[in-house]
Amino acid sequence: MSQAGRINSLSWGDTFFLYLEREGQPLNVACTCEFDGAISIDACRKYVESKLDLLPRYKQRAIFPPFNLGLPTWESDPNFDIRNHVHRVVLKGGTDTDLKAVTAKVISSTLDRSRPLWDLTLVQGLKHKRTGLIIRIHHCLTDGVAGVAIMNALLDASPTPQKAPPKKRHSGEPQPSDSVAVLLDRLLQSYQSFMQGALTAQSEVMTIARELLDR
């Protein structure tokens, strides 16, 4: 099967974060921002949705294979709705302590795995005419680059916003539909990913050993 027709699988490392997560033990990466002025929930949702073409992964969900044989895959969410990912909380007291309490509550809960694994919570009612924003992303969706991708997309460094890249045309090559073919393909990718990780680990061990011998 050509590379274009291969299934888009998670890595072993990202899959590990999904299996490790439990209720009461969420694996979320999060941050809290503050902005001057009031921001409406409708404006926030519209703005975030306009940026998602810059972040195609944020409209995909993790799908587990039958019997958990092989690696999960990233697949487009057919029922994607921005309202499921941009929420609103209105503070009663409006203090920084209230904001911290809401943040703790949000990031200590697990994300819905039937949807793309991220959400934003707009926090209204802060004193001194401020608005808070809690950004929560599952660890499997982040790496050194992807972890800051949503921040770079939402918080532009200049007044001129980024333009979404042109959408790629599909080659027309059909995706594997036979269940046996899909399972075999995932197992093959799992094996290749495992071997690549093992070879990388072996190389690192040999490098450390050589350095110790040189010393």
Side-chain angles (χ1 to χ4, degrees):
M1 184 181 296
S2 69
Q3 190 66 26
R6 294 301 293 266
I7 299 172
N8 190 10
S9 298
L10 281 75
S11 68
W12 273 102
D14 291 338
T15 301
F16 173 74
F17 291 122
L18 287 172
Y19 283 119
L20 184 64
E21 186 175 52
R22 299 287 187 276
E23 282 294 333
Q25 182 181 299
L27 292 178
N28 300 322
V29 177
C31 70
T32 304
C33 308
E34 289 186 11
F35 302 95
D36 293 330
I39 302 174
S40 71
I41 185 64
D42 291 336
C44 184
R45 284 172 176 160
K46 183 177 180 180
Y47 178 76
V48 173
E49 192 165 29
S50 72
K51 294 290 187 175
L52 290 182
D53 284 340
L54 296 169
L55 305 163
R57 181 73 77 217
Y58 285 71
K59 296 183 75 172
Q60 298 175 339
R61 56 182 180 169
I63 302 297
F64 285 81
F67 310 110
N68 290 333
L69 292 176
L71 298 170
T73 57
W74 292 116
E75 299 181 17
S76 296
D77 181 2
N79 301 313
F80 182 84
D81 188 335
I82 192 64
R83 293 173 296 181
N84 294 326
H85 296 274
V86 181
H87 312 289
R88 179 181 66 162
V89 172
V90 180
L91 300 179
K92 293 182 179 180
T95 66
D96 289 343
T97 300
D98 296 328
L99 175 59
K100 292 177 182 178
V102 169
T103 301
K105 183 178 180 180
V106 169
I107 66 176
S108 62
S109 60
T110 54
L111 287 155
D112 184 353
R113 293 195 179 185
S114 67
R115 298 168 179 160
L117 296 171
W118 65 275
D119 65 15
L120 308 179
T121 302
L122 191 70
V123 184
Q124 298 176 329
L126 275 171
K127 291 182 177 179
H128 310 301
K129 297 180 180 180
R130 295 173 297 155
T131 301
L133 183 67
I134 304 167
I135 300 175
R136 180 174 60 150
I137 311 168
H138 195 279
H139 209 307
C140 76
L141 195 58
T142 65
D143 56 30
V145 177
V148 296
I150 192 169
M151 297 296 292
N152 289 336
L154 295 180
L155 307 179
D156 293 312
S158 71
T160 303
Q162 301 180 57
K163 291 184 178 180
K167 294 183 179 180
K168 296 181 180 180
R169 293 183 178 180
H170 297 287
S171 61
E173 182 175 351
Q175 294 289 329
S177 57
D178 180 73
S179 58
V180 176
V182 171
L183 179 59
L184 291 175
D185 186 81
R186 292 182 178 180
L187 288 174
L188 176 60
Q189 290 188 64
S190 299
Y191 175 76
Q192 292 175 337
S193 178
F194 172 78
M195 292 303 298
Q196 183 179 3
L199 291 173
T200 301
Q202 182 184 29
S203 175
E204 292 176 351
V205 170
M206 293 297 293
T207 300
I208 295 173
R210 284 197 298 268
E211 291 178 353
L212 291 174
L213 289 174
D214 289 342
R215 293 177 184 176

